[in-house]
Amino acid sequence: MIKIHHSSDVQSSTIGEGTIIWQFCVILKGAILGKNCNINCNVFIENKVVIGNNVTIKPGVQIWDGVTIEDNVMIGPNATFTNDLYPKSKNTNFILKETYIRKGASIGANATILPGITIGKNALIGAGSVVTKNVPANTVWYGNPAIQKGLINNIGENTND
């Protein structure tokens, strides 16, 4: 069963079983959401977005066109995605840069992910980081700009601690 709070505006009909959508969310018609996702309050999901299974998106996150989030990903509160390197008001000719968050990755609160980035499988992005380039699988990144600070083992532990 899909649970959608009555205060949310969910236009998509492509939502997997077991997904919960909390208060004050907006999910546009073209968005695709997988099974067993937890979409917390105040989340905006644009049209050209694909979200896999078992994804948690915490409050205050906006996911713009061109973002693909694979299975078992966690997106922390107020994480920010972008899809245009040179944003201008009323620019109808901007080049959409696609962003990929691979399976099992975690993105900390208030992290900013620039457009055209791939965050690798099981990677961990620290809170408040600004990710300006691709992140390899099984790595830990944080800072502004984010740099690699460690490695993640198969059970999600930072092996450099």
Side-chain angles (χ1 to χ4, degrees), residues 66-83:
V67 176
T68 297
I69 299 171
E70 294 183 351
D71 297 346
N72 304 310
V73 168
M74 199 288 293
I75 309 293
N78 300 304
T80 299
F81 293 89
T82 59
N83 64 4

Side-chain angles (χ1 to χ4, degrees), residues 5-154:
H5 193 275
H6 67 86
S7 67
S8 289
D9 179 5
V10 178
Q11 300 165 21
S12 174
S13 60
T14 311
I15 299 172
E17 282 297 314
T19 290
I20 300 170
I21 300 169
W22 294 92
Q23 297 91 332
F24 310 113
C25 293
V26 175
I27 301 175
L28 297 184
K29 186 175 184 177
I32 299 170
L33 281 72
K35 298 177 185 176
N36 302 311
C37 293
N38 187 9
I39 311 301
N40 285 210
C41 62
N42 298 306
V43 170
F44 177 82
I45 301 173
E46 208 166 20
N47 280 297
K48 297 175 187 172
V49 172
V50 177
I51 297 174
N53 300 321
N54 307 308
V55 171
T56 296
I57 301 173
K58 293 296 189 177
V61 175
Q62 296 85 41
I63 304 173
W64 307 109
D65 285 345
V67 176
T68 297
I69 299 171
E70 294 183 351
D71 297 346
N72 304 310
V73 168
M74 199 288 293
I75 309 293
N78 300 304
T80 299
F81 293 89
T82 59
N83 64 4
D84 184 357
L85 280 172
Y86 306 102
K88 298 284 184 194
S89 179
K90 310 279 186 198
N91 181 6
T92 59
N93 296 317
F94 88 95
I95 299 170
L96 178 70
K97 294 286 199 167
E98 295 183 346
T99 299
Y100 297 92
I101 313 302
R102 298 296 185 204
K103 187 175 184 176
S106 293
I107 299 174
N110 294 309
T112 299
I113 313 300
L114 293 187
I117 300 291
T118 296
I119 296 179
K121 183 178 177 182
N122 298 319
L124 174 64
I125 306 301
S129 297
V130 178
V131 181
T132 62
K133 58 186 171 183
N134 292 337
V135 172
N138 302 305
T139 57
V140 178
W141 288 60
Y142 54 90
N144 182 2
I147 60 173
Q148 185 176 340
K149 299 284 189 165
L151 299 172
I152 292 281
N153 67 19
N154 289 336

